[in-house]
Amino acid sequence: MAASHDNHLQGRVSVITGASSGNGAATAQALAARGARVVLAARNADKLNTLITEIRDAGGTATARVTDVTRLGDVEGLMDFAAGKYGPVDHLVNNAGLMLFSKWPDRGIDDWDKMIDTNLGGYLHAISAVLPGMTARRSGHILNLSSVAGIRVGHASGVYSATKFFICGITDSLRQEVSITHGIQVSMISPGVIDTGWADKVSNAEGKQIAQDLNESAIHPDRVADAVVYALAQPADITVNDIVIHPTHQDW
């Protein structure tokens, strides 16, 4: 579906948070392959550099800046860097996130705080940093990666799901306030279980087992990248509001 809209991606400046692996890396490669100039943001410099090399070797245009999305100054610096390198930011792909499972009685407060700082604070920081330029130009596209966990709460995913419900809320609010008034496209993609290595990052023992079992039916990040490309490839007078994708055989 995206192929018919490739001209709308050519030369666009696309900032992708959480771009060093998983959905972010797949999205960066997919957008660059269709002519976008991608700016990668993550905390791992080595992974970013490896991905930049892969994209450039494939004929794409890419650069990167080490960024901790929990720090507003980092994210504002990222947007300034992108604009200085390629020009005004056309797309924000808000992707950086943590998915850490635990049950309420385990009181996984450290994991809760990490998810709140990244999944909530990181998204707000990126939106805040990119909005001034987009509103001034009356153009741009903000795409938030949510999750089916933001539609229905899963086993041991209470706080994670809450952060994704939050993303649903801010996305809807953005649409109401900036789409009509400022001409900014706002989209949200809610994937099911994607094989991004997330299960390996769960520290809670029981939560890790639940995550690993769930991940057995996961689909590849390229599927998420395809959905992102489709949403961002639309002309300025069309907005894809919400896309939900999940494994066919999974009862999410």
Side-chain angles (χ1 to χ4, degrees), residues 143-151 164 167-168 188-194 224 227 242-246 252:
L143 189 149
N144 292 329
L145 263 294
S146 184
S147 169
V148 297
I151 301 171
K164 294 301 181 178
I167 292 169
C168 292
M188 184 175 70
I189 296 176
S190 301
V193 181
I194 309 297
V224 178
D242 298 298
I243 299 176
V244 179
I245 57 174
H246 61 91
W252 58 271

Side-chain angles (χ1 to χ4, degrees), residues 203-238:
S203 58
N204 178 272
E206 190 173 3
K208 180 181 282 292
Q209 186 59 57
I210 293 170
Q212 290 173 338
D213 291 344
L214 190 60
N215 201 57
E216 289 181 359
S217 61
I219 57 179
H220 197 274
D222 285 349
R223 300 294 183 262
V224 178
D226 288 343
V228 173
V229 167
Y230 175 69
L232 294 184
Q234 303 302 319
D237 60 346
I238 296 292

Side-chain angles (χ1 to χ4, degrees), residues 97-223:
L98 291 174
M99 184 177 181
L100 305 174
F101 279 17
S102 64
K103 292 187 174 181
W104 289 106
D106 293 331
R107 300 179 67 244
I109 295 173
D110 286 345
D111 286 347
W112 300 350
D113 287 345
K114 289 175 184 176
M115 287 189 285
I116 290 169
D117 290 346
T118 303
N119 300 3
L120 277 63
Y123 274 52
L124 293 177
H125 291 164
I127 291 167
S128 172
V130 81
L131 266 181
M134 288 186 175
T135 55
R137 299 190 312 276
R138 298 186 61 80
S139 69
H141 200 143
I142 296 172
L143 189 149
N144 292 329
L145 263 294
S146 184
S147 169
V148 297
I151 301 171
R152 191 175 80 181
V153 180
H155 192 46
S157 70
V159 176
Y160 173 72
S161 289
T163 67
K164 294 301 181 178
F165 274 94
F166 174 87
I167 292 169
C168 292
I170 62 171
T171 302
D172 187 50
S173 178
L174 273 171
R175 287 194 192 110
Q176 294 180 41
E177 293 191 22
V178 305
S179 291
I180 297 174
T181 307
H182 298 285
I184 299 170
Q185 295 160 287
V186 180
S187 301
M188 184 175 70
I189 296 176
S190 301
V193 181
I194 309 297
D195 188 14
T196 61
W198 67 275
D200 298 331
K201 299 176 183 178
V202 178
S203 58
N204 178 272
E206 190 173 3
K208 180 181 282 292
Q209 186 59 57
I210 293 170
Q212 290 173 338
D213 291 344
L214 190 60
N215 201 57
E216 289 181 359
S217 61
I219 57 179
H220 197 274
D222 285 349
R223 300 294 183 262

Side-chain angles (χ1 to χ4, degrees), residues 4-39:
S4 63
H5 300 290
D6 280 356
N7 59 314
H8 296 295
L9 291 174
Q10 185 68 43
R12 300 295 186 182
V13 180
S14 303
V15 174
I16 305 157
T17 66
S20 61
S21 62
N23 296 332
T27 295
Q29 291 172 316
L31 289 173
R34 288 158 179 81
R37 294 174 290 175
V38 297
V39 181

